[in-house]
Amino acid sequence: MINFEYIENNLKELQIKYLTAQPFPHLIIDDFCDTEKLLRAYDSIPELNNKSRDYAFANNKFEKSNYKELCPELLELYNELSSERFNKILSFITAKKIFVDPRNFGGGLHQGKKNSFLDMHLDFNYHPLNKNWYRELNLLLYLNKDWKPEYKGQLKIKDLRTNEEAELDVPFNRLIIQQCAPYTLHGYDMTNFPEGKYRTSIATYVFQVHERHIETPRTTDWFPKEDASAMKKLFAKNYNFLVQTKNKFFGSRTAKNQ
């Protein structure tokens, strides 16, 4: 499913591109998968109805964690993403000893319907179950068949240290590898997809084992737009505290991978 040979034959070039990218390390790999297989996978994806946990800071965004059950091609993709072969590729590109979460807690198939958006945010840093796993990367594979820039939904990234930002197109069969750190903001503006088409992606998360915490564990940190309501800004400011309090009494939905 994954075009391993192309990637492995160009590892040094991909590493340089990742490490030198601005505003922070990231990498674009086009034709990441066998196109025919990915098209079959795309055709197997139904309209999703499980609304995202990010409902307060996202609009019309739906998800399916266990996407591998949809078709043989997506099962093959899931297995290859968590393979030792792919872990070695990621470790070389980033120059770090890292690995894909084999159960992909919090990840999965994401589908943005009409007027979908996702506010800029920082992801959770330490794994909700494996407390010493630090999140190093997001892997975002886009399945936007026949995507055009006017459909919008480009991945926006911004470095909190410098305020430098970039906007990355999201066509079909493009993998974006994005560093996760306390300054790597990302999200997307409201989409304009044609009726019956959705902003579709598969998110996979990559970790490194830490012997000790180097940051205070956090859930998602949200950064609403300047013109957001005062209530939304207040909710964003207190989001970590509220979620951690809720998790203490009721458990984490992310940890349960619902």
Side-chain angles (χ1 to χ4, degrees):
M1 187 72 174
I2 294 175
N3 285 323
F4 278 113
E5 287 191 14
Y6 164 75
I7 297 169
E8 290 167 338
N9 289 337
N10 294 276
L11 274 178
K12 193 61 185 179
E13 179 185 351
L14 294 173
Q15 182 190 57
I16 292 170
K17 285 183 177 180
Y18 172 80
L19 294 174
T20 60
Q22 299 296 324
F24 54 74
H26 67 274
L27 177 65
I28 291 172
I29 302 178
D30 285 321
D31 299 318
F32 177 69
C33 291
D34 178 279
T35 301
E36 289 190 6
K37 286 186 175 182
L38 198 63
L39 283 169
R40 290 200 296 271
Y42 173 83
D43 288 338
S44 75
I45 297 172
E47 182 177 357
L48 303 183
N49 53 27
N50 184 28
K51 203 156 194 180
S52 168
R53 295 179 293 270
D54 306 325
Y55 63 90
F57 302 98
N59 185 59
N60 231 3
K61 182 171 172 278
F62 296 78
E63 59 189 30
K64 180 177 178 59
S65 299
N66 195 23
Y67 66 86
K68 63 184 178 181
E69 68 182 14
L70 291 175
C71 67
E73 289 80 10
L74 288 175
L75 174 60
E76 182 181 356
L77 174 64
Y78 184 96
N79 289 335
E80 290 187 358
L81 284 170
S82 56
S83 68
E84 186 57 31
R85 186 178 185 181
F86 193 57
N87 285 340
K88 287 180 180 178
I89 287 170
L90 294 173
S91 294
F92 185 90
I93 288 172
T94 61
K96 293 181 178 181
K97 189 176 180 180
I98 56 179
F99 56 93
V100 170
D101 176 2
R103 296 180 66 185
N104 203 23
F105 282 113
L109 180 65
H110 296 165
Q111 193 177 80
K113 299 184 184 179
K114 188 176 178 63
N115 296 330
S116 168
F117 67 79
L118 180 65
D119 282 338
M120 299 294 277
H121 62 283
L122 299 175
D123 291 311
F124 70 80
N125 51 3
Y126 285 99
H127 195 284
L129 292 182
N130 301 285
K131 304 296 186 181
N132 63 332
W133 289 12
Y134 182 81
R135 186 160 162 181
E136 287 283 351
L137 298 176
N138 289 338
L139 309 180
L140 304 170
L141 175 61
Y142 290 97
L143 287 83
N144 299 317
K145 188 179 176 184
D146 303 321
W147 181 84
K148 299 176 182 179
E150 54 262 37
Y151 294 172
K152 301 183 181 178
Q154 292 91 338
L155 177 67
K156 296 177 65 177
I157 59 175
K158 180 177 180 178
D159 190 321
L160 268 179
R161 301 168 300 181
T162 63
N163 280 336
E164 290 183 58
E165 53 190 349
E167 198 168 80
L168 311 178
D169 288 346
V170 290
F172 186 79
N173 205 3
R174 168 171 285 185
L175 180 76
I176 297 180
I177 299 175
Q178 177 224 307
Q179 180 193 34
C180 290
Y183 48 83
T184 56
L185 278 180
H186 54 285
Y188 65 89
D189 289 338
M190 186 175 289
T191 61
N192 186 36
F193 277 62
E195 197 68 35
K197 286 184 175 287
Y198 313 118
R199 185 188 191 273
T200 307
S201 62
I202 293 175
T204 303
Y205 305 138
V206 182
F207 294 84
Q208 182 182 60
V209 174
H210 283 184
E211 293 300 320
R212 60 187 61 82
H213 283 184
I214 59 169
E215 298 173 15
T216 301
R218 66 168 185 272
T219 59
T220 308
D221 274 352
W222 294 99
F223 294 75
K225 290 186 174 182
E226 287 297 321
D227 59 358
S229 68
M231 182 63 72
K232 188 174 186 178
K233 290 178 180 177
L234 182 63
F235 186 33
K237 185 176 181 180
N238 293 283
Y239 184 81
N240 258 284
F241 171 76
L242 294 170
V243 170
Q244 288 169 356
T245 302
K246 185 269 296 181
N247 290 347
K248 182 177 179 180
F249 292 101
F250 302 106
S252 166
R253 285 190 64 196
T254 300
K256 295 171 183 174
N257 205 26
Q258 294 181 346

